[in-house]
Amino acid sequence: MAKLRALRDSLPLGAAAQRAKLDLVTTRAGFDALEEPWNDLFARAGRDTQLFQSFNWLWHWANHFLPVSGEAGPELAIVTAHVDERLVMVWPLVLERGRGLNRLTWMGEPVSQYGDVLIDDLPDALDLLRAAWGFVTRHTNANVVQMRKVRADAAIAPLLPEMGAVMTAELKAPYLDLASAPSFDEYEKRYSGSARRNRKRQRRRLEERGATAVSWHTHGTEAAALVADTFRLKRAWLLQRGIVSPALTDPRTERFFADATRAETHPAGCHVIKLCSDGRPVAVEIGVRCKGRSAIHIIAYDLDFEKTAAGALLMEDSIRNACEAGMASFDLLAPGDGYKLEWADNAIVVCDWAAPISLRGRIYATVYLGIIRTALKRGVEAMPVGARRRLMSMLDFWNKPKAPSEPVSP
């Protein structure tokens, strides 16, 4: 690590990096004050793949995941860079303390699905990232920077080798290239004839159980109610299969999506699509759209309608809707499960990384993340379905709020 730091410090910085004023934002008031310049930076330099780095998305996250005064929880540690008083970079991080370790992680976990640095289109952008990394190591008192779900094409990706980052997990995020066809009918021709006939047969089977209808919601109380339906159906599906998901059993996750979806102010690009049979929601999707990219975040279906392939039919409806709305990409997000790959044109590698800053951080990255956590995950996956169901039920019980909880006021 010392050699890497010496190499980094010896590299000459470009003009913007030399002039940049770096700062660390640690308060909610400081974050809120960034709203206008952050939105300006995102408008001119944000990528469609940075849909989880928008100010509004993280504003809703802060309302639900930042602890109230006196409670333990993540602390804001947002690194910013200004050149001539213009915001040119935001590295959205939080500091988590516990068990003798100070970890920097992405602001937005666990609801954000890609992590990245938002940075202006500068000729010396990498130099500025180098300077920001040096600032992080000096001013945050962190032992390790844990960066989950970093796309191979992320702005932060070129810096990772210089940070001495260790890859701790590798996944794939499948996607559809909707811009490659003028309409959904044309796009659909890339699927086999048998697959298209099968979906038509499944749709007829669903229609035999009652009149079907698809609706789209982007705000309001009905959108929030559909979020509740989505989580109810998803948790039932997880329990049936004995799949453990702390994020989905955390009540803050559901409250986040309810607020982000029904929001009349600070819209975060969230939507809900429902497929109904005889007025009953049988499949529901929570998605996010940003700059021509549509991403499915959560999709769930009623187990009573499993044989009708209600989830696959809603996927088809969602893709059609995205085509009609002029979306260029349809992102299925990681992991690259088989059913996603059947729909996708391609996939991009998405990795978890950990960049140690101290010896303690290196032990955490290489021993815990690289060995122990992997073994624990495999152990859970090897458990009988019944045992995993009991574990899922315990998580659900522990995470249930003792009383109705309201979002934190900004």
Side-chain angles (χ1 to χ4, degrees):
M1 274 192 300
K3 289 182 178 179
L4 283 169
R5 287 198 191 103
L7 175 61
R8 181 197 68 221
D9 294 341
S10 68
L11 293 172
L13 298 179
Q18 287 180 339
R19 291 161 49 209
K21 179 186 177 185
L22 294 165
D23 197 8
L24 189 67
V25 177
T26 60
T27 66
R28 178 61 195 265
F31 166 68
D32 289 338
L34 288 171
E35 179 173 3
E36 184 175 349
W38 191 317
N39 285 335
D40 290 344
L41 174 60
F42 193 86
R44 68 178 183 267
R47 306 174 184 180
D48 64 330
T49 53
Q50 294 173 324
L51 61 171
F52 304 111
Q53 280 74 61
S54 74
F55 179 88
N56 287 355
W57 177 269
L58 294 175
W59 183 86
H60 286 286
W61 176 90
N63 290 346
H64 293 278
F65 288 91
L66 279 184
V68 298
S69 178
E71 290 186 353
E75 305 167 19
L76 291 177
I78 304 167
V79 182
T80 63
H82 289 79
V83 174
D84 298 332
E85 299 186 356
R86 185 189 200 191
L87 184 68
V88 296
M89 189 208 71
V90 175
W91 191 343
L93 296 170
V94 294
L95 181 65
E96 298 189 354
R97 306 173 191 269
R99 298 176 183 175
L101 190 79
N102 295 336
R103 291 186 310 133
L104 284 170
T105 62
W106 293 119
M107 183 183 181
E109 290 192 0
V111 295
S112 295
Q113 292 300 296
Y114 297 137
D116 203 1
V117 174
L118 186 61
I119 189 166
D120 228 328
D121 185 16
L122 302 168
D124 58 343
L126 185 55
D127 285 342
L128 182 53
L129 288 174
R130 290 187 182 114
W133 171 238
F135 182 87
V136 164
T137 62
R138 293 190 301 271
H139 293 275
T140 61
N141 197 31
N143 302 112
V144 64
V145 183
Q146 190 173 348
M147 297 167 287
R148 297 180 64 248
K149 297 185 178 178
V150 178
R151 290 171 55 98
D153 59 357
I156 191 73
L159 185 67
L160 294 172
E162 296 183 22
M163 296 170 68
V166 178
M167 187 178 70
T168 59
E170 180 177 328
L171 299 170
K172 288 186 177 180
Y175 63 90
L176 287 67
D177 181 13
L178 301 184
S180 63
S183 66
F184 177 75
D185 290 339
E186 286 297 315
Y187 183 87
E188 191 184 28
K189 291 178 182 178
R190 69 193 61 197
Y191 301 119
S192 67
S194 61
R196 283 178 280 156
R197 288 192 297 272
N198 187 47
R199 282 198 291 276
K200 289 180 181 178
R201 186 164 52 249
Q202 291 167 335
R203 198 170 291 276
R204 287 196 299 269
R205 190 179 303 155
L206 179 62
E207 290 169 347
E208 289 171 0
R209 299 186 61 168
T212 62
V214 179
S215 58
W216 163 276
H217 306 268
T218 57
H219 61 278
T221 56
E222 186 171 1
L226 286 171
V227 168
D229 285 335
T230 306
F231 275 80
R232 174 180 55 81
L233 295 175
K234 192 67 175 182
R235 285 169 180 152
W237 182 88
L238 291 169
L239 185 61
Q240 183 202 53
R241 284 160 174 74
I243 298 174
V244 178
S245 176
L248 288 174
T249 57
D250 187 334
R252 294 175 299 178
T253 303
E254 181 177 340
R255 293 198 297 264
F256 164 87
F257 279 108
D259 276 1
T261 304
R262 70 175 160 223
E264 299 289 347
T265 64
H266 293 87
C270 285
H271 64 258
V272 185
I273 302 178
K274 70 173 177 177
L275 172 62
C276 286
S277 174
D278 200 22
R280 173 182 176 180
V282 296
V284 195
E285 168 203 313
I286 300 173
V288 189
R289 288 185 177 174
C290 175
K291 293 196 170 191
R293 178 172 294 266
S294 186
I296 287 185
H297 204 303
I298 303 171
I299 190 167
Y301 60 84
D302 191 324
L303 293 173
D304 291 341
F305 288 77
E306 188 166 16
K307 292 184 178 179
T308 67
L313 295 176
L314 180 60
M315 179 85 79
E316 182 181 50
D317 292 332
S318 182
I319 296 169
R320 181 186 295 276
N321 182 289
C323 281
E324 292 173 351
M327 296 290 106
S329 301
F330 193 87
D331 199 330
L332 300 175
L333 303 177
D337 296 327
Y339 80 93
K340 295 182 181 179
L341 295 172
E342 289 176 3
W343 288 96
D345 294 316
N346 208 335
I348 189 165
V349 172
V350 179
C351 295
D352 293 351
W353 297 88
I357 298 174
S358 69
L359 177 60
R360 187 173 295 179
R362 179 163 293 280
I363 293 171
Y364 173 81
T366 57
V367 178
Y368 175 72
L369 295 179
I371 300 174
I372 297 176
R373 191 186 63 169
T374 301
L376 289 172
K377 182 179 179 182
R378 288 174 180 167
V380 171
E381 291 172 347
M383 292 169 62
V385 172
R388 284 188 275 123
R389 284 177 181 166
R390 288 192 292 275
L391 181 58
M392 183 69 179
S393 296
M394 290 169 60
L395 282 173
D396 227 357
F397 175 78
W398 289 334
N399 282 327
K400 280 182 180 177
K402 294 181 176 60
S405 180
E406 296 298 325
V408 177
S409 298

